[in-house]
Amino acid sequence: MWETKLLSSVPESQVFTRQALYNLFKESKKDLSYNSVGWIIDEGLKSSILFKVGADSYSRKKEMRSVYIPRYSDFSIELLSKMGERFPELEFTLFETLLLNEFVNHMYSQNVLVLQVEKDLCPFTFDFLNELYPGKVLFNPSSEDLGRYKSDNCIILENRISEAPFDKEHQHFITLEKLFVDCVSDKAIKELIPSSEISNIFENARLIYKSDLTKIRRYAKRRNAWTKVEALLG
């Protein structure tokens, strides 16, 4: 049937919105109405030619999303390397605002890092970092101090919450599950993200990358943030 032929013409390596599918189908069926696209999509879903992979997002493949691996700036890569050399057994996780540019509407130009470290070793870490980057390190700053003293590539040092999800292969990289929860629960990270962008981060990140709901729920409950996170997950 003609609708099957249209659906089979959808490239397998891409994700399409309803509007994008309409534009694609119109190339070969000039008299196609926009309202008909909904019916064609339904037929594609029923016959497993098409799969829904997100909100208003469809693909020929059932799973188009990949595993999230943060693409850190050169400064952060340098910091991770120096921290690993100085504290090889230390548990820590690094976030930076530039990571969010993949998901937000208004991109960050100033980069601020949040380094979460085991509580007992925070003072030693502060002394080490302050020697490397004098004047660039803030230890558990208040909202006022953060607004007053933050600068490009400044490092906010804070206590690491236990039971946070982590990647076994990249133990100091922030995972997507942790990023979701910290966006609404971490004191420093919340200050760095406009509230209007939170829903964009959740929606866009979940469209592109896989996430583990069990890990999100467990960590969110640990941070008393599950109600907020659950609402954003929809």
Side-chain angles (χ1 to χ4, degrees):
M1 297 177 68
W2 62 268
E3 66 271 14
T4 303
K5 186 176 180 180
L6 284 179
L7 287 164
S8 299
S9 70
V10 177
E12 293 188 1
S13 59
Q14 298 178 43
V15 174
F16 292 85
T17 63
R18 178 171 171 161
Q19 180 65 54
L21 286 172
Y22 173 65
N23 295 340
L24 178 66
F25 295 157
K26 281 280 287 185
E27 292 178 7
S28 56
K29 191 170 179 60
K30 305 298 184 183
D31 60 343
L32 182 71
S33 69
Y34 182 76
N35 290 336
S36 297
V37 176
W39 172 76
I40 297 174
I41 290 173
D42 288 341
E43 290 298 307
L45 296 174
K46 289 176 185 177
S47 58
S48 297
I49 298 176
L50 204 63
F51 298 95
K52 188 168 185 178
V53 295
D56 189 28
S57 302
Y58 305 91
S59 171
R60 290 287 306 281
K61 290 185 177 180
K62 191 171 185 178
E63 181 59 82
M64 287 291 293
R65 296 171 297 175
S66 58
V67 174
Y68 177 67
I69 299 177
R71 295 189 284 270
Y72 286 108
S73 66
D74 290 343
F75 182 81
S76 284
I77 291 171
E78 174 188 278
L79 175 62
L80 286 167
S81 176
K82 290 183 176 180
M83 283 288 297
E85 291 174 4
R86 177 64 181 83
F87 304 104
E89 303 299 323
L90 181 64
E91 292 184 3
F92 65 90
T93 306
L94 182 65
F95 163 86
E96 65 174 354
T97 52
L98 290 186
L99 293 177
L100 300 177
N101 283 344
E102 190 174 0
F103 313 123
V104 297
N105 290 327
H106 299 92
M107 298 180 70
Y108 288 86
S109 55
Q110 184 185 68
N111 195 25
V112 178
L113 290 71
V114 179
L115 182 65
Q116 299 171 338
V117 176
E118 294 174 57
K119 183 177 181 180
D120 293 342
L121 293 177
C122 268
F124 301 100
T125 305
F126 177 81
D127 291 340
F128 170 69
L129 293 176
N130 206 37
E131 287 185 12
L132 289 176
Y133 311 106
K136 285 280 191 181
V137 188
L138 305 175
F139 187 16
N140 284 333
S142 64
S143 297
E144 293 75 16
D145 287 340
L146 184 56
R148 186 179 298 116
Y149 299 116
K150 74 175 179 181
S151 59
D152 194 37
N153 285 335
C154 80
I155 303 166
I156 299 170
L157 182 63
E158 60 180 26
N159 299 333
R160 184 177 185 272
I161 302 297
S162 62
E163 300 179 29
F166 70 97
D167 183 336
K168 291 182 180 180
E169 187 175 351
H170 309 285
Q171 295 188 17
H172 305 307
F173 288 14
I174 192 166
T175 64
L176 189 60
E177 294 84 3
K178 179 170 168 54
L179 178 61
F180 284 153
V181 178
D182 285 356
C183 280
V184 300
S185 65
D186 184 85
K187 182 180 71 173
I189 293 176
K190 282 196 305 180
E191 290 287 332
L192 298 169
I193 305 173
S195 58
S196 60
E197 292 284 13
I198 297 295
S199 60
N200 292 328
I201 292 169
F202 273 73
E203 182 178 347
N204 293 330
R206 292 180 73 205
L207 179 62
I208 304 169
Y209 299 109
K210 302 175 185 177
S211 58
D212 188 319
L213 182 59
T214 301
K215 291 181 180 180
I216 295 172
R217 185 188 298 111
R218 185 185 300 121
Y219 182 52
K221 288 184 175 180
R222 176 72 178 84
R223 301 209 67 157
N224 298 315
W226 173 237
T227 300
K228 293 179 181 179
V229 173
E230 185 179 27
L232 287 160
L233 291 172

